[in-house]
C-alpha cells in the first residue's frame, strides 16, 4: 500500500514502473540532428543569399522613372535592356556585344587559370613529397592575397604602361622600336590581371582532389606500360575532375560579375556585364540594374549547370 502511494507521489522514481520507462531521456533522430547542425548555415544562406536574390528578382519587374521606383509590375527593365536588339538582327546590338565580350573574357581567364592552376597543383601533389613542403608552398601561393585586390591590380600599371618597366626593357634591348600600346588598357591587361587575381581559386580545389588520388593507381598505370601523358589523361585528370569543376565554378562566377578589374585594367574602354549593372545603379535605374543582374545570374547558372552535368559533385565529394 505504501509503495502505491509512493509511486503516485513521485512518478518516475520507482524502478520497474511504467512511468519510469516513459521518463527516460528521449534520443533525437539522426536526421533531426543533421538538420540541427545545418541550421545556422541555412539561416546565413537564407538571410544573405536567398532573400536578397528574391528581392532582386522582384525589383527587376518594377517600373521606374527618373526619380523613383514604382512598385507596379512592369517588364520595362528587360525591354530597356534589349531595346533595339531585334531591329539590328542579324547583327548584335550593344548589349549583346557586351555579354559576348564578358563571355569571351571569362573563357580566356578560365582556360589560362585552369592550365596554370592544374600545373601548380600537379607539381605540389606529385613532385613535392614532403607534407611540410606541400603546406609551405601552398601558403606561399597565398602571399599575394595578403594585400587587397586593388593594390595587386594597380601594381600592373607601372609595369605595363607605355613608359613602364616592360616597354623600357624591350626598347633598350632592341627587341622593339616603339613601346607596345596593347600591354595596358587592353584585353590583354584585363585577362592578365584577372588570371593573376583568381588563379589561386583554381589551384586549391584541384590540389585537394589530386592529393586524394591513390598513388598505387599511378604506379599501376606505369607498370602496365602507360606513358606519362597516358597516365595523366586516363588516371590523373578523371580523378581530379571534381576539383577542376569546383575551381572552374569559382573562377567563372567571380569573373562574370567583375567590373572593377575590367574597368581599371581596360581603361574604361572594355564593356562588361558587371559594368552595365554599375552604370544603371549610378543612374538610379534600379529595376534595369536588377534585370541585368537576373540575366547575368541566369547565364552563370546555365554555365554551372552544364559543368555539373560533367561531374556529379555531390557524389564525388
Amino acid at each position: 500500500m505504501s509503495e502505491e502511494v509512493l509511486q503516485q507521489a513521485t512518478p518516475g522514481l520507482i524502478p520497474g514502473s511504467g512511468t519510469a520507462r516513459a521518463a527516460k531521456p528521449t534520443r533525437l533522430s539522426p536526421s533531426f540532428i543533421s538538420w540541427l547542425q545545418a541550421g545556422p548555415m541555412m539561416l546565413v544562406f537564407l538571410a544573405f543569399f536567398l532573400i536578397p536574390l528574391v528581392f532582386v528578382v522582384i525589383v527587376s519587374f518594377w517600373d521606374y522613372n527618373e526619380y523613383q521606383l514604382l512598385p507596379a509590375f512592369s517588364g520595362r527593365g528587360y525591354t530597356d535592356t534589349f531595346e533595339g536588339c531585334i531591329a539590328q538582327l542579324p547583327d548584335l546590338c550593344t548589349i549583346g556585344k557586351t555579354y559576348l565580350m564578358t563571355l569571351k573574357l571569362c573563357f580566356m581567364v578560365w582556360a589560362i587559370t585552369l592550365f596554370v592552376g592544374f600545373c601548380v597543383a600537379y607539381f605540389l601533389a606529385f613532385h613535392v613529397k614532403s607534407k611540410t613542403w606541400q603546406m609551405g608552398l601552398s601558403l606561399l601561393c597565398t602571399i599575394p592575397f595578403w594585400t587587397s585586390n586593388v593594390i595587386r591590380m594597380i601594381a600592373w600599371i607601372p609595369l605595363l604602361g607605355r613608359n613602364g618597366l616592360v616597354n623600357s626593357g624591350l626598347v633598350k634591348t632592341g627587341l622593339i622600336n616603339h613601346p607596345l600600346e596593347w600591354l595596358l588598357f587592353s584585353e590583354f591587361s584585363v585577362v592578365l590581371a584577372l588570371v593573376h587575381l583568381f588563379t589561386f581559386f583554381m589551384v586549391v580545389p584541384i590540389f585537394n582532389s589530386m592529393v586524394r588520388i591513390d598513388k598505387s593507381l599511378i604506379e599501376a598505370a606505369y607498370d602496365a606500360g602507360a606513358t606519362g601523358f597516358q597516365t595523366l589523361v586516363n588516371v590523373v585528370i578523371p580523378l581530379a575532375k571534381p576539383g577542376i569543376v569546383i575551381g572552374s565554378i569559382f573562377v567563372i562566377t567571380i569573373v562574370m560579375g567583375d567590373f572593377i578589374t575590367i574597368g581599371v585594367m581596360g581603361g574604361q574602354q572594355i564593356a562588361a556585364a558587371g559594368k552595365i549593372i554599375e552604370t544603371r545603379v549610378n543612374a538610379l535605374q534600379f529595376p534595369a540594374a536588377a534585370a541585368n543582374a537576373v540575366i547575368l545570374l541566369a547565364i552563370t547558372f546555365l554555365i554551372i549547370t552544364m559543368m555539373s552535368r560533367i561531374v556529379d559533385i555531390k557524389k564525388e565529394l
Side-chain angles (χ1 to χ4, degrees), residues 59-176:
V59 171
S60 72
F61 287 101
W62 282 6
D63 199 0
Y64 63 98
N65 57 27
E66 291 80 1
Y67 310 105
Q68 61 182 344
L69 295 175
L70 302 174
F73 180 81
S74 171
R76 185 184 170 189
Y78 294 91
T79 55
D80 283 356
T81 299
F82 294 104
E83 185 177 9
C85 287
I86 297 178
Q88 294 185 27
L89 290 175
D91 296 329
L92 283 176
C93 56
T94 303
I95 191 72
K97 292 178 181 176
T98 301
Y99 277 97
L100 191 63
M101 174 59 73
T102 304
L103 289 172
K104 177 185 174 184
L105 291 175
C106 185
F107 176 76
M108 288 193 292
V109 173
W110 169 76
I112 297 173
T113 54
L114 176 60
F115 177 75
V116 176
F118 189 90
C119 292
V120 173
Y122 187 89
F123 173 77
L124 291 175
F126 297 110
H127 290 278
V128 180
K129 304 299 181 186
S130 168
K131 295 290 182 185
T132 304
W133 274 103
Q134 283 183 345
M135 292 295 297
L137 292 174
S138 299
L139 289 175
L140 195 64
C141 295
T142 66
I143 287 179
F145 288 85
W146 296 0
T147 59
S148 72
N149 284 2
V150 177
I151 294 175
R152 284 184 289 150
M153 181 174 53
I154 293 177
W156 285 106
I157 294 178
L159 197 66
L160 302 176
R162 180 179 175 81
N163 299 315
L165 294 176
V166 174
N167 268 326
S168 300
L170 291 175
V171 170
K172 287 180 180 177
T173 55
L175 293 176
I176 57 175

Side-chain angles (χ1 to χ4, degrees), residues 203-219:
V203 172
V204 174
I206 298 176
F207 172 70
N208 188 46
S209 293
M210 284 184 176
V211 293
R212 293 191 297 174
I213 295 176
D214 190 349
K215 302 297 186 296
S216 62
L217 295 175
I218 298 175
E219 294 175 1

Side-chain angles (χ1 to χ4, degrees), residues 184-300:
L184 190 61
F185 303 142
S186 62
E187 290 183 22
F188 170 79
S189 59
V190 170
V191 172
L192 182 66
L194 290 173
V195 168
H196 171 231
L197 291 175
F198 303 131
T199 296
F200 185 72
F201 293 99
M202 191 69 83
V203 172
V204 174
I206 298 176
F207 172 70
N208 188 46
S209 293
M210 284 184 176
V211 293
R212 293 191 297 174
I213 295 176
D214 190 349
K215 302 297 186 296
S216 62
L217 295 175
I218 298 175
E219 294 175 1
Y222 282 120
D223 292 341
T227 62
F229 181 74
Q230 289 172 329
T231 304
L232 176 69
V233 172
N234 298 311
V235 179
V236 177
I237 291 179
L239 293 176
K241 275 198 298 186
I244 294 173
V245 172
I246 293 172
S248 300
I249 290 173
F250 283 156
V251 172
I252 289 173
T253 51
I254 296 173
V255 174
M256 286 292 287
D258 187 280
F259 64 91
I260 297 177
T261 308
I262 296 175
V264 173
M265 299 304 293
Q268 307 297 339
Q269 300 174 17
I270 297 178
K275 191 70 179 174
I276 295 176
I277 298 173
E278 186 209 13
T279 304
R280 293 288 193 177
V281 169
N282 292 337
L284 303 181
Q285 298 173 346
F286 296 112
N292 279 281
V294 171
I295 295 168
L296 184 62
L297 180 67
I299 295 173
T300 307

